[in-house]
């Protein structure tokens, strides 16, 4: 474990190397990724930006990664309907996020996705054994994969089909689903505190996650992709997830 000052000084040095010759910085970047848990929290944002600046990510830049958002969900339809009606979404209308299902439209979207994805795989010469499939545990993402898979024919119990908890949607806590006006009136003090930070990346939600929090937990997914694809010589990754988390 290194100190905040040591980590900051190393980041400064790597930043200089990147500006002169990015390739020379890869060895240090990979070392930092391998030891991410030992990097001080205060400098992780700096390192994240440095890693992004070299093209992110030495481990996965050669992979063919498809980010697939779930089909239309009950919440998507509810929010659109209330917006069209000019009415706020109140707390009594909340649905537990992990249990939100697809609408009939979402089911058809997932079906069409399966047809299109099958054609894509055939055109690219991609076999099922050369794909790592990652799925969020939330119901709408699982449904999307299961419906699409009727055309893809992956064996759902196979080792290359993995449900990863780190892929769940951003957790909005008490702010889940409800409209902005309801947030302001129900949680006035907390809403003010949560919106005070002008950097959107760090803005928290009441008892929930900021985008920065989401990025931090997604590191585990990146590690898993790196290890699994390297060990199994896989070049394709299909991720069935969500809008913000993807």
């Amino acid at each position: 474990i290194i100190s905040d000052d040591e980590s900051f000084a190393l980041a400064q040095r790597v930043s200089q190397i990147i500006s002169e010759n990015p390739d020379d910085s890869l060895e240090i970047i990979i070392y930092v990724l391998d030891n991410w848990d030992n990097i001080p929290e205060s400098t992780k944002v700096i390192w994240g930006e440095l890693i992004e600046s070299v093209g992110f990510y030495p481990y996965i830049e050669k992979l063919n990664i498809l980010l697939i958002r779930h089909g239309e969900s009950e919440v998507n339809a509810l929010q659109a309907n209330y917006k069209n009606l000019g009415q706020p979404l109140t707390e009594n209308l909340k649905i537990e996020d992990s249990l939100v299902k697809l609408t009939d439209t979402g089911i058809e979207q997932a079906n069409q996705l399966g047809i299109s994805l099958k054609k894509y795989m055939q055109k690219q010469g991609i076999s099922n054994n050369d794909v790592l499939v990652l799925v969020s545990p939330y119901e709408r993402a699982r449904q999307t994969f299961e419906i699409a898979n009727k055309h893809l024919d992956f064996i759902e119990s196979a080792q290359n089909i993995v449900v990863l908890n780190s892929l769940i949607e951003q957790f909005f806590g008490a702010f889940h689903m409800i409209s902005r006006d309801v947030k302001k009136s129900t949680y006035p003090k907390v809403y003010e505190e949560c919106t005070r930070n002008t950097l959107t990346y760090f803005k928290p939600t009441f008892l929930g996650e900021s985008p920065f929090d989401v990025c931090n937990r997604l590191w585990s997914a990146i590690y898993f992709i790196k290890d699994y694809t390297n060990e199994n010589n896989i070049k394709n990754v299909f991720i069935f997830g969500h809008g913000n988390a993807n």
Side-chain angles (χ1 to χ4, degrees):
I1 298 177
I2 62 176
S3 68
D4 291 32
D5 289 343
E6 290 172 328
S7 180
F8 183 73
L10 182 58
Q12 283 186 309
R13 176 56 183 150
V14 171
S15 177
Q16 182 180 351
I17 295 173
I18 289 174
S19 65
E20 296 170 353
N21 189 345
D23 290 343
D24 291 345
S25 67
L26 291 184
E27 186 175 343
I28 300 175
I29 292 292
I30 291 173
Y31 176 81
V32 169
L33 286 170
D34 281 338
N35 294 276
W36 189 250
D37 289 341
N38 295 326
I39 299 298
E41 288 293 331
S42 62
T43 60
K44 281 186 175 180
V45 175
I46 298 172
W47 281 110
E49 291 176 351
L50 289 174
I51 292 167
E52 258 188 84
S53 72
V54 295
F56 202 75
Y57 286 130
Y59 287 134
I60 64 176
E61 62 182 359
K62 295 181 180 179
L63 296 176
N64 176 38
I65 300 178
L66 300 187
L67 299 177
I68 302 164
R69 187 182 184 229
H70 58 79
E72 181 189 69
S73 73
E74 297 170 314
V75 172
N76 296 149
L78 195 62
Q79 289 172 329
N81 184 48
Y82 270 74
K83 185 176 182 179
N84 289 337
L85 293 173
Q87 297 178 8
L89 265 174
T90 52
E91 294 196 83
N92 63 306
L93 296 169
K94 281 185 179 181
I95 305 172
E96 170 61 41
D97 203 19
S98 63
L99 304 179
V100 173
K101 298 178 181 179
L102 297 179
T103 61
D104 289 343
T105 297
I107 290 172
E108 179 55 27
Q109 288 171 341
N111 183 61
Q112 291 301 318
L113 166 69
I115 294 172
S116 299
L117 200 51
K118 183 66 174 180
K119 291 179 180 178
Y120 169 79
M121 292 175 67
Q122 291 173 338
K123 184 177 180 179
Q124 298 297 322
I126 300 172
S127 70
N128 285 18
N129 291 330
D130 193 31
V131 181
L132 168 62
V133 177
L134 301 180
V135 186
S136 160
Y138 280 13
E139 182 66 22
R140 55 196 183 275
R142 295 179 74 123
Q143 273 188 290
T144 300
F145 168 66
E146 289 166 3
I147 294 168
N149 195 40
K150 292 177 182 179
H151 303 280
L152 303 174
D153 299 320
F154 284 102
I155 299 173
E156 293 188 23
S157 59
Q159 67 169 1
N160 64 323
I161 312 298
V162 181
V163 176
L164 278 187
N165 289 339
S166 58
L167 295 177
I168 64 173
E169 178 59 297
Q170 180 180 357
F171 178 54
F172 290 97
F175 288 170
H176 169 56
M177 279 186 65
I178 61 176
S179 301
R180 182 175 298 177
D181 290 343
V182 178
K183 296 174 189 176
K184 289 181 178 179
S185 61
T186 308
Y187 308 101
K189 183 177 180 181
V190 174
Y191 183 82
E192 181 184 351
E193 291 173 351
C194 289
T195 55
R196 185 178 300 149
N197 194 329
T198 57
L199 296 175
T200 303
Y201 189 56
F202 295 98
K203 281 184 179 177
T205 55
F206 185 31
L207 303 178
E209 296 179 302
S210 69
F212 176 72
D213 297 325
V214 176
C215 290
N216 266 346
R217 66 169 158 83
L218 285 174
W219 278 108
S220 63
I222 292 170
Y223 285 138
F224 182 83
I225 291 171
K226 171 185 73 73
D227 291 340
Y228 191 95
T229 54
N230 283 346
E231 291 173 8
N232 295 278
N233 194 31
I234 284 179
K235 303 299 182 185
N236 303 280
V237 183
F238 297 170
I239 301 176
F240 289 77
H242 307 269
N244 287 8
N246 275 358

